[in-house]
Amino acid sequence: MMNTYAVRVIYKYEMLRAWDTIMQSFASPVISTILYFVVFGSAIGSRIETVEGVSYGAFIVPGLMMLALLTQSVSNASFGIYFPRFTGTMYEVLSAPISFAEILLGYVGAAATKSFIIGVIILITAGLFVELKIAHPIWMLGFLVLTCISFSLLGFIIGLWANSFEQLQLIPMLVITPLVFLGGSFYTIDMLPPVWQTVSLFNPVVYLVSGFRWSFYEVSDVSIQLSLFMVLLFSAVCLATVWWMFKTGYRLKQ
Amino acid sequence: MNPIISVSNLSKVYSNGYRALNNVSLDFHSGEILALLGPNGAGKTTLISIICGIVNPSEGSVTVGGHDIIDDYRITRSLIGLVPQELTLSMFVTVWNTVCFSRGLFGKKPNPAYLEQLLKDLSLWDKKDSDILTLSGGMKRRVLIAKALSHEPSILFLDEPTAGVDVELRKDMWNLVDKLRQSGVTIILTTHYIEEAEEIADRVGVISKGELIVVDDKEALKHKLGKRQMMIELENAIDKIPDLLSSWDLELSAEGNQLTYTYDTYSTQTGIAELLRAVDGAGLQLKDVNTSQSSLEDIFINIVNTPLHTR
């Protein structure tokens, strides 16, 4: 039988942690998004014509949301599991009558929820600056939720793998941020030279941003089916990795 | 009587090749207080960690309440409360929230009345809304105990509970242990301090270098462990121990200038007075006499070298 109390307390504890550091958790991603709007949307965007019929300011909204979602999901989830390992409080979770699936549900569920909230706040904030149109709300919501979950899973993996705070920051800094910036957040792929267009197709974030943007403006770099397939594939790979880590007790149990 | 915990042929080899436990078998009786003695790195914490589910065993098996710790981990872990050796606590949480967290983690539905009483018993009630960060070391240890007891376990593990603890907390802790025992809780504690084991334990187990050397009733073990030595310095060196002194367990050292007598402090007759008279009778001239209690470390080394075979 599932230990629902345990899942609940882990989830609640993680959410409380976000609440205690509300400036860091919610305000800072919103502020940085507004800055992007000012710089890219207003300053640069005023010199750029519409992109495929969408004003540049509105065009970058899905990409900006993705940028925040990805970085926040990874940092929330990685910190959430790394910190108890670092302080040693993990002993309690490991000695509790709780399955690994339940541990995952508590930690990743909370991290994904926080990212989801941030995504919604950014969407509302963006609505104050530009005129938004959401052509396919269900798809939009679907991509939003899937992204939150899959990148929280990635964060969880990083949090289990990292053996220092430096390593914890390494992947978000060296991998996630470049992938997002080069993943078509601020442009469409066909704006790039042909070689870089091909290179971009190896960037999983391209599929995310493309699919997400399609759900807003029906403008995409790749087909929506391919986007969805890639997101699901990425989630599956993360889940399989976590399953392997739990199975072997990787960095948790000796 | 069925043991509440049964450890059979348990071994643990860590990934770096270090063998922390070697074929340990031990039964814990329901309702007893068992003290595990051993020097640092003996394998005490590894043994506890395996039983609690924190470390995977390499070989052997453990049952708790008749259930296997791996196949039925939900049942076995819910029976156990663990107070770890280190002060491992989340610092930015209140005392109340952390005990509620622990209770929930162990799958128990909230019971504020029970937790209130628990915090009162541990003199933590007036600190319930304080962040753990603001508490003293002793208070933090009380919080760890409260967390371990938050889900009403029937077995409590205390790993080095008195390391760095002041007299007052020590006293409170032993009162609590006594109270828990009366309510039927089985208590297993690890310690370096033999006095501590003597004071509260029913049985004592000695672990050294990953092996369980001996486990026995406290009284029986006291005789085996409580050795003292008397060093008799002589004015003039001798070549061999005089025949008159052959009935005592004596060693000649320091180039014939010192006689060492090892004896049992708990026996009714230590034989010291007779020995001194006999030394005098043998015509040896005394220069000085010293006694020393063998340190726990010595005792362990002694036991390891001469197994007592009570296993």
Side-chain angles (χ1 to χ4, degrees):
Chain A
M1 212 180 78
M2 192 168 150
N3 185 349
T4 49
Y5 285 113
V7 177
R8 252 190 273 174
V9 290
I10 293 176
Y11 184 85
K12 195 175 140 196
Y13 178 86
E14 285 297 301
M15 293 307 284
L16 267 178
R17 198 165 59 79
W19 192 248
D20 286 343
T21 53
I22 190 159
M23 282 308 284
Q24 193 197 327
S25 303
F26 297 117
S28 86
V30 171
I31 289 169
S32 52
T33 307
I34 292 173
L35 288 174
Y36 281 119
F37 263 119
V38 174
V39 176
F40 288 99
S42 305
I44 298 174
S46 61
R47 288 156 192 264
I48 298 177
E49 291 175 33
T50 57
V51 181
E52 300 191 26
V54 183
S55 79
Y56 187 69
F59 175 82
I60 62 169
V61 171
L64 278 180
M65 282 178 71
M66 278 293 157
L67 174 68
L69 286 183
L70 264 52
T71 46
Q72 288 300 313
S73 299
V74 168
S75 78
N76 274 328
S78 61
F79 194 79
I81 192 72
Y82 178 71
F83 205 62
R85 283 180 56 221
F86 174 73
T87 57
T89 52
M90 202 64 209
Y91 84 89
E92 197 180 20
V93 176
L94 291 176
S95 67
I98 175 171
S99 71
F100 284 132
E102 288 155 2
I103 295 177
L104 198 65
L105 206 57
Y107 281 104
V108 172
T113 307
K114 279 185 265 184
S115 304
F116 183 81
I117 293 170
I118 290 167
V120 170
I121 294 174
I122 291 173
L123 189 64
I124 294 167
T125 316
L128 303 175
F129 288 83
V130 289
E131 201 180 324
L132 287 176
K133 177 190 132 197
I134 303 172
H136 305 283
I138 304 286
W139 279 92
M140 195 277 284
L141 206 64
F143 269 110
L144 191 64
V145 172
L146 266 177
T147 306
C148 292
I149 294 172
S150 58
F151 278 80
S152 295
L153 278 171
L154 177 66
F156 192 83
I157 294 168
I158 295 170
L160 280 182
W161 163 81
N163 264 339
S164 66
F165 276 99
E166 198 203 359
Q167 289 184 345
L168 196 65
Q169 307 286 353
L170 212 61
I171 291 194
M173 235 165 47
L174 293 183
V175 182
I176 308 290
T177 312
L179 282 185
V180 179
F181 272 87
L182 302 175
S185 306
F186 303 110
Y187 52 84
T188 58
I189 298 301
D190 54 24
M191 290 178 182
L192 296 170
V195 178
W196 287 103
Q197 287 190 29
T198 315
V199 172
S200 292
L201 293 178
F202 291 97
N203 180 353
V205 178
V206 166
Y207 301 91
L208 268 181
V209 173
S210 168
F212 197 47
R213 190 179 286 136
W214 175 85
S215 65
F216 280 77
Y217 310 121
E218 294 183 301
V219 172
S220 63
D221 293 316
V222 293
S223 78
I224 179 71
Q225 287 82 4
L226 185 59
S227 285
L228 185 65
F229 173 76
M230 292 304 273
V231 179
L232 289 174
L233 181 71
F234 179 69
S235 309
V237 169
C238 289
L239 262 180
T241 311
V242 170
W243 181 82
W244 172 82
M245 284 175 139
F246 279 160
K247 186 91 182 159
T248 57
Y250 180 81
R251 302 254 161 117
L252 272 181
K253 271 177 126 176
Q254 286 192 294
Chain B
M1 188 170 62
N2 284 333
I4 187 138
I5 301 175
S6 182
V7 175
S8 344
N9 308 109
L10 196 65
S11 295
K12 175 67 191 178
V13 182
Y14 283 106
S15 52
N16 61 7
Y18 179 67
R19 184 171 276 270
L21 283 181
N22 193 15
N23 201 23
V24 170
S25 295
L26 174 64
D27 283 347
F28 299 77
H29 306 153
S30 183
E32 76 171 339
I33 299 181
L34 188 133
L36 289 172
L37 280 166
N40 288 327
K44 303 179 300 257
T45 301
T46 299
L47 175 61
I48 290 182
S49 297
I50 291 174
I51 298 172
C52 293
I54 300 166
V55 170
N56 290 324
S58 304
E59 283 164 46
S61 64
V62 180
T63 63
V64 178
H67 302 277
D68 184 80
I69 55 159
I70 292 168
D71 296 338
D72 300 320
Y73 70 93
R74 283 191 200 267
I75 302 172
T76 63
R77 292 186 199 172
S78 63
L79 295 172
I80 298 174
L82 167 66
V83 182
Q85 192 172 340
E86 310 284 340
L87 292 176
T88 41
L89 285 160
S90 302
M91 291 295 151
F92 306 103
V93 197
T94 64
V95 171
W96 181 253
N97 282 347
T98 199
V99 290
C100 289
F101 176 83
S102 298
R103 187 175 168 90
L105 206 55
F106 280 78
K108 286 272 185 156
K109 68 170 186 236
N111 183 349
Y114 171 77
L115 292 182
E116 179 178 337
Q117 191 53 51
L118 180 64
L119 291 186
K120 281 178 175 162
D121 287 348
L122 284 159
S123 316
L124 279 171
W125 183 240
D126 58 333
K127 299 274 185 199
K128 74 181 170 67
D129 296 319
S130 304
D131 274 352
I132 292 181
L133 183 72
T134 64
L135 302 180
S136 67
M139 281 294 175
K140 285 184 187 133
R141 196 160 285 279
R142 286 173 202 251
V143 174
L144 282 177
I145 299 169
K147 279 166 77 73
L149 293 173
S150 66
H151 64 279
E152 302 161 63
S154 50
I155 302 161
L156 181 67
F157 282 95
L158 295 158
D159 198 359
E160 302 284 352
T162 49
V165 157
D166 66 19
V167 180
E168 194 190 356
L169 176 53
R170 216 183 174 99
K171 216 173 79 189
D172 280 5
M173 195 141 60
W174 296 146
N175 285 340
L176 182 79
V177 164
D178 204 41
K179 206 171 138 187
L180 286 171
R181 192 248 285 271
Q182 281 168 25
S183 68
V185 175
T186 307
I187 294 154
I188 295 111
L189 60 103
T190 70
T191 179
H192 299 42
Y193 306 115
I194 195 163
E195 301 81 10
E196 207 161 88
E198 280 179 17
E199 205 175 307
I200 62 157
D202 303 310
R203 284 198 306 153
V204 175
V206 178
I207 295 185
S208 179
K209 294 173 188 157
E211 299 200 24
L212 183 70
I213 303 300
V214 58
V215 56
D216 212 336
D217 281 343
K218 175 173 66 177
E219 292 304 322
L221 212 60
K222 266 184 175 179
H223 288 280
K224 292 170 186 166
L225 297 184
K227 293 276 190 249
R228 281 184 85 93
Q229 286 188 318
M230 181 165 72
M231 274 72 70
I232 303 165
E233 273 187 65
L234 303 172
E235 198 66 60
N236 304 308
I238 53 173
D239 301 333
K240 66 185 237 342
I241 298 167
D243 292 341
L244 198 61
L245 304 177
S246 61
S247 54
W248 281 275
D249 179 16
L250 290 175
E251 272 177 63
L252 188 60
S253 58
E255 292 169 354
N257 279 312
Q258 184 176 294
L259 285 168
T260 304
Y261 173 50
T262 306
Y263 61 99
D264 180 356
T265 35
Y266 294 98
S267 67
T268 44
Q269 291 277 310
T270 59
I272 296 173
E274 292 83 348
L275 174 64
L276 289 175
R277 275 197 292 275
V279 167
D280 193 38
L284 302 175
Q285 233 183 330
L286 289 181
K287 190 176 175 191
D288 200 0
V289 175
N290 279 309
T291 63
S292 75
Q293 173 97 47
S294 9
S295 72
L296 198 59
E297 202 70 31
D298 296 337
I299 292 169
F300 287 130
I301 292 164
N302 195 23
I303 298 178
V304 176
N305 292 339
T306 53
L308 293 169
H309 293 301
T310 35
R311 283 178 263 180

